[in-house]
Amino acid sequence: MKALVLAGGTGSRLRPITHTAAKQLVPVANKPVLFYGIESIVAAGITDIGVIVGGTEREIRAALGDGSRFGARITYLRQEAPLGLAHAVLIARDWLGDEDFVMYLGDNFVVGGITGPVEAFRRDRPHARILLTKVADPSMFGVAELGPDGAVVRLEEKPAAPRSDLALVGVYLFTPAVHEAVAACAPSARGEMEITDAIQWLIDSGRSVSATTITGYWKDTGNVADMLEVNRAVLEGIEREVAGSVDAASEIVGRVRIAAGARIVRSRIVGPAVIGAGAVVSDSHIGASTSVADHCRISGSEVEFSILLEGARIEDAGRIEGSLIGRSVHVSGAARAPRAHRLVLGDHSRIQIAS
């Protein structure tokens, strides 16, 4: 069995962070989202992985390498434009051959991994198995309608009037039958080849399509709010580990992971939180659900429920919360008089300023 991991999206909802980085490499708990997916695939016993890449191919290749760090073998497959999930299957046809495979969207996060659904698929071997979860606003997702016996009877991509509250999680399991379905697909009104259309073709053709409704945690980390929520969820599972230096004037409360080479000076860290290697926190308070990446500098500030990427600097900035701060960003306080805001912002930035 093989795995096809999609890592070619542009990440428009995470701009400006994704102007300079692949969305699948934005970290939660100081580890790229994509790594969690690769690790869950390997944990399910699948080590032959094809990664669909696009404009951020160089960054994805640099991060994943040949896959040996994960105990896997990675092959890179180029998708010249984001033309849909079914199109990704189409361009991977030769590499996939006649093997069963799992398709995993690289910016999705499934707590607990995918070992259970993979084992069920291997045991029962339907033509396709989809993962579903209940959501508050199904119109934002692909939606499944189940029959009285629990069989999948209809799929629809981002429907205006959803027939159920069951959204497709970004994990799909297929036999080679899906290739015939993909070949029969035409681009949708969005100009993409939809995987939901291919699965619907299987259903209409009398092929077996089963579903697993997951009750655990799942997120599509496509926007800042979801990234922060996933970061919170992952941090809830960390164990306390203090490998860096903490001076006598500092206090570490709860489950806090401080990497070797980090320094905590006259500060209070309240877990769950992680502090990366080479980071320095001085005269500051780091609150719960915060990830501070390698080589960050925080002084004279409070930071809570936030993600700081590598090399960010926060100096005398008061209290910061619910924020995603990019690589090498510098946030500093300013004199109170005259009262004014001085901003240098990239394209598509979003800020909130108290009056």
Side-chain angles (χ1 to χ4, degrees):
M1 190 171 184
K2 292 183 174 181
L4 188 64
V5 176
L6 276 61
T10 59
S12 59
R13 291 180 293 160
L14 279 173
R15 290 173 180 164
I17 298 293
T18 49
H19 279 309
T20 55
K23 66 175 180 176
Q24 299 85 3
L25 298 181
V26 176
V28 294
N30 286 1
K31 182 165 70 175
V33 170
L34 180 59
F35 285 20
Y36 292 96
I38 297 290
E39 289 168 356
S40 69
I41 288 167
V42 173
I46 304 168
T47 57
D48 199 358
I49 301 174
V51 178
I52 299 290
V53 292
T56 58
E57 177 179 358
R58 184 169 62 179
E59 294 94 329
I60 298 294
R61 282 180 175 268
L64 298 181
D66 62 1
S68 57
R69 65 181 293 180
F70 303 98
R73 179 174 65 254
I74 289 180
T75 300
Y76 294 93
L77 305 164
R78 177 80 182 190
Q79 186 181 34
E80 293 301 331
L83 297 177
L85 304 188
H87 182 260
V89 174
L90 182 66
I91 65 173
R93 177 68 181 91
D94 291 343
W95 178 80
L96 288 166
D98 292 325
E99 294 196 44
D100 296 349
F101 67 98
V102 57
M103 183 167 72
Y104 194 110
L105 274 59
D107 59 351
N108 275 224
F109 187 91
V110 181
V111 168
I114 61 170
T115 299
V118 169
E119 289 177 347
F121 176 79
R122 282 173 161 155
R123 181 185 66 245
D124 303 332
R125 204 164 180 266
H127 292 101
R129 178 180 289 272
I130 59 177
L131 270 63
L132 305 173
T133 191
K134 290 187 176 183
V135 296
D137 184 6
S139 65
M140 299 294 293
F141 303 92
V143 175
E145 182 183 356
L146 304 182
D149 60 352
V152 183
V153 297
R154 186 187 302 273
L155 297 174
E156 194 172 3
E157 187 66 31
K158 296 181 175 63
R163 295 172 178 265
S164 82
D165 61 354
L166 293 172
L168 278 76
V169 173
V171 181
Y172 310 80
L173 297 117
F174 296 114
T175 67
V178 74
H179 298 302
E180 184 181 359
V182 166
C185 286
S188 68
R190 300 194 305 162
E192 297 185 5
M193 293 179 64
E194 311 286 2
I195 198 65
T196 45
D197 289 345
I199 300 171
Q200 186 65 50
W201 187 93
L202 290 173
I203 295 169
D204 295 342
S205 301
R207 311 295 176 89
S208 56
V209 177
S210 61
T212 297
T213 301
I214 63 172
T215 56
Y217 188 86
W218 165 79
K219 277 288 184 182
D220 169 6
T221 59
N223 59 50
V224 173
D226 286 342
M227 286 293 303
L228 293 173
E229 180 58 24
V230 170
N231 187 64
R232 182 203 61 76
V234 174
L235 289 176
E236 287 294 334
I238 70 169
E239 299 294 331
R240 181 183 173 103
E241 180 183 352
V242 180
S245 66
V246 179
D247 73 357
S250 296
E251 182 182 13
I252 309 300
V253 180
R255 289 172 290 110
V256 176
R257 191 173 69 211
I258 301 175
R263 292 192 297 120
I264 311 300
V265 182
R266 298 180 303 277
S267 297
R268 189 169 192 258
I269 316 294
V270 177
V274 294
I275 310 295
V280 178
V281 179
S282 60
D283 302 300
S284 295
H285 172 90
I286 305 299
S289 304
T290 299
S291 294
V292 177
D294 296 352
H295 309 298
C296 289
R297 297 288 188 271
I298 302 173
S299 61
S301 305
E302 297 182 31
V303 182
E304 186 165 354
F305 189 55
S306 295
I307 300 172
L308 276 63
L309 275 59
E310 186 173 2
R313 294 166 56 198
I314 311 294
E315 298 175 340
D316 302 318
R319 180 175 175 82
I320 293 173
E321 63 180 30
S323 299
L324 174 60
I325 297 176
R327 294 169 180 82
S328 301
V329 165
H330 185 194
V331 179
S332 62
R336 292 188 177 275
R339 185 177 180 88
H341 301 288
R342 184 173 185 271
L343 308 173
V344 179
L345 301 172
D347 296 348
H348 305 286
S349 294
R350 293 185 297 276
I351 64 170
Q352 290 180 314
I353 298 175
S355 58

